[in-house]
Amino acid sequence: MSEPILKIRNIESFYGPIMAIRGVSLDVHPGQIVSILGANGAGKTTLMKTVSGVMDPEKGTITFDGTQIQGSEPHKVVQRGIVHVPEGREVFPLMTVDENLSLGAYTLSDKAQVERDRELVFSYFPVLKERRTQEAGTLSGGQQQMLAIGRGLMGNPRIMLLDEPSLGLSPLLVQEIFDILKRLNAEQNMTMMLVEQNANAALELAHHGYVMEVGRIVMDGAAEELRASEDIQNFYLGVQEEGSRENRRWKRKKTWR
């Protein structure tokens, strides 16, 4: 396997006095989809914000394509080719679909490239072309998620950080979004780091997965191995016995870190 394009080593990030990420390390290889799984409060979104420069880590290193980027300003991170599609879509509601897409290309100066990227977005999301003059705030939730992903693609990314793309969507729309992400990976060799609570959909899409609990990586492995894991089935896929997640304990296995 090739060298990782993204290496995270022993990252610690804080909200005030509260440590949200506790010594997290992981790798993302070119052309790979890596899923980060975990319950609410596990630190998944904080990890994404730390990689994209929205938060600065107190300790540890983030290396992208051989260069350490921890503590970089967000616009510098984008210029390097890391695009963050945030949780909750965060489109600009009073701007049109076209205007939102144009904002995604703000770091690019080649107008011909921008138009090629726009047509690429429309090829994956035809509904956005149909609604290109419509204000983003009037789109459905699924269409806004498509716009958020499309806006990310307009930055011509080398890696996309996708935070909860299934949030608030119907199962049918979740499947549609994930099918498009799978196509982007297969057809454009798009590298992705995906944060998801929908573990089943995420592991069907991903090549590799990491499980976070209370700010730590507690388990990782090939996606198909994690899907087959009894621990993952019990905790995240809703198989076998029901019960409070807080009152259970992970079984000790070779996949423990």
Side-chain angles (χ1 to χ4, degrees):
M1 185 176 285
S2 59
E3 277 291 304
I5 190 171
L6 179 67
K7 297 180 184 179
I8 300 173
R9 295 292 181 269
N10 302 313
I11 285 294
E12 294 183 1
S13 293
F14 289 75
Y15 289 105
I18 300 171
M19 183 185 290
I21 299 180
R22 304 166 181 267
V24 166
S25 298
L26 60 83
D27 292 332
V28 181
H29 293 266
Q32 192 179 49
I33 300 177
V34 169
S35 288
I36 315 296
L37 309 177
N40 280 332
K44 307 182 303 296
T45 292
T46 303
L47 176 61
M48 290 291 216
K49 289 180 177 179
T50 304
V51 173
S52 64
V54 176
M55 293 179 64
D56 292 337
E58 293 291 327
K59 293 182 180 179
T61 61
I62 302 170
T63 304
F64 181 70
D65 198 22
T67 301
Q68 289 190 14
I69 62 168
Q70 68 275 2
S72 297
E73 293 293 327
H75 71 278
K76 296 288 187 182
V77 174
V78 173
Q79 287 172 350
R80 289 187 178 277
I82 301 175
V83 170
H84 186 179
V85 180
E87 180 182 8
R89 300 180 277 276
E90 299 294 342
V91 297
F92 295 94
L94 300 182
M95 300 177 72
T96 67
V97 166
D98 249 347
E99 289 167 340
N100 269 270
L101 292 177
S102 294
L103 281 176
Y106 80 98
T107 62
L108 306 178
S109 57
D110 185 341
K111 292 184 179 180
Q113 179 65 52
V114 171
E115 288 312 307
R116 286 194 295 271
D117 290 341
R118 193 186 307 270
E119 289 306 313
L120 178 69
V121 170
F122 289 153
S123 72
Y124 284 96
F125 303 106
V127 69
L128 297 183
K129 187 171 186 176
E130 296 170 8
R131 299 175 183 271
R132 61 191 303 172
T133 60
Q134 186 172 326
E135 288 185 356
T138 64
L139 299 176
S140 69
Q143 291 163 358
Q144 287 186 19
Q145 185 61 70
M146 293 176 186
L147 179 55
I149 295 170
R151 185 179 59 194
L153 288 171
M154 290 295 294
N156 199 19
R158 299 181 63 196
I159 182 172
M160 294 188 75
L161 312 180
L162 297 147
D163 194 350
E164 299 282 8
S166 72
L167 186 67
L169 302 183
S170 69
L172 188 63
L173 279 171
V174 170
Q175 188 61 55
E176 183 177 356
I177 294 290
F178 276 65
D179 284 346
I180 292 170
L181 294 178
K182 187 174 184 177
R183 285 181 55 207
L184 282 166
N185 174 254
E187 298 169 3
Q188 307 299 324
N189 200 36
M190 181 63 64
T191 307
M192 303 178 193
M193 190 163 82
L194 171 72
V195 157
E196 257 300 329
Q197 286 196 69
N198 187 334
N200 198 29
L203 291 176
E204 283 185 355
L205 178 68
H207 302 99
H208 198 91
Y210 292 85
V211 180
M212 291 188 71
E213 279 198 346
V214 200
R216 301 182 189 275
I217 301 290
V218 296
M219 196 178 191
D220 81 274
E224 65 237 26
E225 294 174 359
L226 290 181
R227 288 190 75 214
S229 161
E230 184 179 343
D231 287 330
I232 294 295
Q233 290 176 359
N234 286 340
F235 278 76
Y236 294 102
L237 303 185
V239 177
Q240 297 180 8
E241 61 182 329
E242 297 180 356
S244 170
R245 183 174 297 158
E246 290 77 13
N247 291 333
R248 302 187 201 167
R249 291 290 182 267
W250 285 94
K251 296 177 182 178
R252 295 190 177 276
K253 288 192 173 185
K254 291 182 181 178
T255 45
W256 268 93
R257 282 185 167 258

